[in-house]
């Protein structure tokens, strides 16, 4: 390959193309399955608590296996770990298709397959993230990461809508398309050229596993920005309740649920394109707090809306505010962390993210089962606004922070 041409675009690298196709197909499958499982479980049980259980089944493996999986990704062949994860995910999808044909798809069986799917994702995740830098020159890495994120967000938008349309025909149709996409992902990953780097095997000691956590608690701005996003999404997340709002509040069907699931990603994608063309140079801390407050207000609007269009607008705004806070949080964590600590700090950060997203769905489902979906969402929105006010007082250096990168005036 001509070096001059290879520097123009990451798409000229065969390994990256295979990786991108595999990731895109995997993301599309995950979104289809997420919608189909949530709608099917609610149709079977009409229980907000059971919708919350989906979040719990996703949360436990992602948190319990995160640090060991990260350690394995640094010690073993990452391509093989990805193939193991994708194979287990394909097996779980086949189970969703086969069980109703062989006997009966019960609630415990459905949740068990969700758990298997989540275990596979936990095993695959760190290896997946760590593989990309080995497929591209350093000069093209940022372009490759951006391209991967764009395709991922596109699948988050298209997946739920496609899943809703397929589910109208039958659940098996949705799961069948998802299985086909996973098969393509497996083939692309298996044919991807990757040579693992020889490493010195390190023991999985408690000190090495938890060094990142100690670092975060020693850095006020890092602790503040991570915990702010954690509690805001933990309290204000409404994703788990979307089937209830679609079915009982907005009186729509699977296609409407697909639109509701896709709406936050539309907001995130639009906002992400804008952020990629602008730089946060002033009042970054206040922008962070403002975006989380906007997330809370959007949650309240969605909770009180009885019109599909207004609900979609609220979710688009919610996704946009969440993208702003996510970008600022991610940049601050990376820039405030020395390179030698980034892997362990990012592993802990992923646990915080999974806690807010997945355990938040469980918490919201439990609360909705006690007080109802609308009151639970209102409580979440108000709680998010209260967290913003409290965190502004608890972390004054974060509130006064001007730039993403730390300066001599920042408290370290």
């Amino acid at each position: 390959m001509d070096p001059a041409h290879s520097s123009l675009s990451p798409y000229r690298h065969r390994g990256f193309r295979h990786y991108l196709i595999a990731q895109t197909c995997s993301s599309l499958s995950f979104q289809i399955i997420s919608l189909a499982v949530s709608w099917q479980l609610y149709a079977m049980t009409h229980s907000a608590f059971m919708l919350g259980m989906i979040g719990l089944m996703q949360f436990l493996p992602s948190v319990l296996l995160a640090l060991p999986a990260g350690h394995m990704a640094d010690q073993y062949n990452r391509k093989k770990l990805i193939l193991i994860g994708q194979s287990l995910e394909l097996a779980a999808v086949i189970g969703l298709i086969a069980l109703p044909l062989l006997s009966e798809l019960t609630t415990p069986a459905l949740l068990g397959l969700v758990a298997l799917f989540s275990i596979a994702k936990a095993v695959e995740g760190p290896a997946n993230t760590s593989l990309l830098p080995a497929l591209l020159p350093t000069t093209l890495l940022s372009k490759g990461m951006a391209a991967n994120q764009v395709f991922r967000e596109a699948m988050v938008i298209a997946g739920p809508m496609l899943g809703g349309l397929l589910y109208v025909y039958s659940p098996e149709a949705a799961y069948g398309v998802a299985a086909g996409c996973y098969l393509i992902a497996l083939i692309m990953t298996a044919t991807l050229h990757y040579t693992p780097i020889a490493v010195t095997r390190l023991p999985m000691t408690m000190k090495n596993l938890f060094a990142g956590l100690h670092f975060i608690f020693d850095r006020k701005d890092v602790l503040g920005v991570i915990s702010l996003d954690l509690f805001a999404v933990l309290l204000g997340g409404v994703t788990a309740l979307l089937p209830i709002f679609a079915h009982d509040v907005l009186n729509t069907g699977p296609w409407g649920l697909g639109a509701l699931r896709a709406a936050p990603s539309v907001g995130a994608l639009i906002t992400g394109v804008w952020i990629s063309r602008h730089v946060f140079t002033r009042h970054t801390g206040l922008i962070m707090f403002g975006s989380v407050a906007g997330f809370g207000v959007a949650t309240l609007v969605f909770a009180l809306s009885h019109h599909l269009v207004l609900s979609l607008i609220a979710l688009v705004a919610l996704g946009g505010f969440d993208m702003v806070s996510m970008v600022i949080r991610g940049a601050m964590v990376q820039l405030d962390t020395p390179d030698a600590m980034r892997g362990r700090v990012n592993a802990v950060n992923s646990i915080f993210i999974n806690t807010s997203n997945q355990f938040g769905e469980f918490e919201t489902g439990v609360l909705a089962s006690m007080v109802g979906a609308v009151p639970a969402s209102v409580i979440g929105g108000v709680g998010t606004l209260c967290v913003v006010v409290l965190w502004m007082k608890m972390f004054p250096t974060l509130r006064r922070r001007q730039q993403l990168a730390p300066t001599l005036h920042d408290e370290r």
Side-chain angles (χ1 to χ4, degrees):
M1 181 180 296
D2 186 353
H5 287 287
S6 67
S7 63
L8 296 176
S9 169
Y11 300 107
R12 293 183 177 272
H13 293 260
R14 184 171 179 267
F16 176 73
R17 292 199 302 270
H18 281 224
Y19 177 87
L20 187 62
I21 294 171
Q23 292 303 298
T24 301
C25 290
S26 178
S27 296
L28 178 60
S29 295
F30 178 77
Q31 296 302 324
I32 293 173
I33 293 166
S34 296
L35 179 131
V37 165
S38 63
W39 188 270
Q40 189 171 27
L41 184 62
Y42 188 65
M44 291 166 57
T45 65
H46 294 283
S47 170
F49 177 81
M50 286 301 169
L51 289 177
M53 285 297 294
I54 294 177
L56 183 63
M57 292 299 102
Q58 294 175 321
F59 165 75
L60 290 177
S62 66
V63 171
L64 296 177
L65 298 178
L67 297 181
H71 180 82
M72 287 191 298
D74 287 335
Q75 304 298 312
Y76 301 101
N77 188 311
R78 291 165 180 167
K79 175 179 171 179
K80 291 182 179 179
L81 290 173
I82 295 171
L83 287 171
I84 291 172
Q86 291 177 342
S87 298
L88 290 174
E89 290 158 25
L90 178 58
V93 180
I94 292 174
L96 289 169
I97 300 172
L99 274 181
L101 300 177
L102 298 176
S103 57
E104 181 182 0
L105 183 60
T106 63
T107 298
L110 185 60
L111 292 175
L113 290 171
V114 171
L116 174 61
F117 195 88
S118 302
I119 291 171
K121 280 289 182 186
V123 171
E124 175 193 353
N128 230 330
T129 305
S130 304
L131 183 66
L132 182 55
L135 304 178
L136 290 170
T138 304
T139 54
L140 291 179
L141 182 58
S142 61
K143 290 185 178 180
M145 294 178 68
N148 188 43
Q149 190 61 36
V150 167
F151 277 90
R152 185 186 300 271
E153 289 295 338
M155 293 306 100
V156 172
I157 296 170
M161 304 185 91
L162 176 60
L165 292 173
L166 289 169
Y167 195 95
V168 171
Y169 182 77
S170 74
E172 290 75 22
Y175 296 135
V177 170
C181 290
Y182 264 122
L183 184 59
I184 296 173
L186 266 171
I187 294 172
M188 289 294 103
T189 303
T191 57
L192 184 153
H193 178 71
Y194 165 68
T195 304
I197 300 174
V199 297
T200 302
R201 296 287 170 86
L202 298 175
M204 193 182 296
T205 63
M206 297 297 291
K207 180 179 179 180
N208 289 333
L209 287 177
F210 288 94
L213 187 62
H214 294 151
F215 177 88
I216 289 173
F217 276 92
D218 286 340
R219 300 299 193 278
K220 291 295 184 181
D221 282 5
V222 176
L223 176 62
V225 76
I226 290 178
S227 58
L228 173 64
D229 190 75
L230 164 69
F231 284 102
V233 178
L234 183 66
L235 293 171
V238 295
T239 304
L241 304 181
L242 290 183
I244 300 176
F245 277 92
H247 188 276
D248 299 340
V249 178
L250 301 173
N251 299 314
T252 186
W255 71 270
L257 175 60
L260 292 172
R261 299 261 329 221
S265 291
V266 172
L269 188 60
I270 294 172
T271 306
V273 171
W274 185 89
I275 292 175
S276 68
R277 300 174 180 273
H278 297 79
V279 179
F280 295 103
T281 57
R282 297 184 61 191
H283 308 301
T284 301
L286 287 177
I287 292 173
M288 175 71 186
F289 283 112
S291 65
V292 177
F295 181 90
V297 171
T299 301
L300 285 173
V301 173
F302 174 78
L304 299 174
S305 169
H306 286 79
H307 301 281
L308 181 59
V309 174
L310 179 59
S311 297
L312 290 171
I313 292 173
L315 290 175
V316 168
L318 184 147
F321 286 122
D322 187 47
M323 174 60 79
V324 174
S325 66
M326 181 175 66
V327 169
I328 293 177
R329 180 197 69 223
M332 280 190 182
V333 170
Q334 297 286 12
L335 293 171
D336 282 29
T337 306
D339 184 67
M341 290 290 300
R342 280 181 182 150
R344 284 166 287 181
V345 170
N346 285 327
V348 176
N349 188 33
S350 71
I351 293 176
F352 276 78
I353 293 171
N354 288 328
T355 298
S356 62
N357 291 334
Q358 295 166 358
F359 188 75
E361 291 186 9
F362 174 69
E363 174 270 331
T364 303
V366 172
L367 183 60
S369 69
M370 295 187 294
V371 301
V374 172
S377 300
V378 170
I379 292 171
V382 173
T384 300
L385 295 176
C386 292
V387 166
V388 170
V389 174
L390 182 61
W391 256 240
M392 290 182 73
K393 295 181 179 180
M394 291 174 57
F395 299 94
T397 59
L398 178 59
R399 184 184 72 241
R400 295 192 295 265
R401 185 154 173 162
Q402 295 295 312
Q403 298 176 349
L404 287 172
T407 66
L408 294 177
H409 301 289
D410 293 325
E411 182 183 60
R412 297 302 304 273

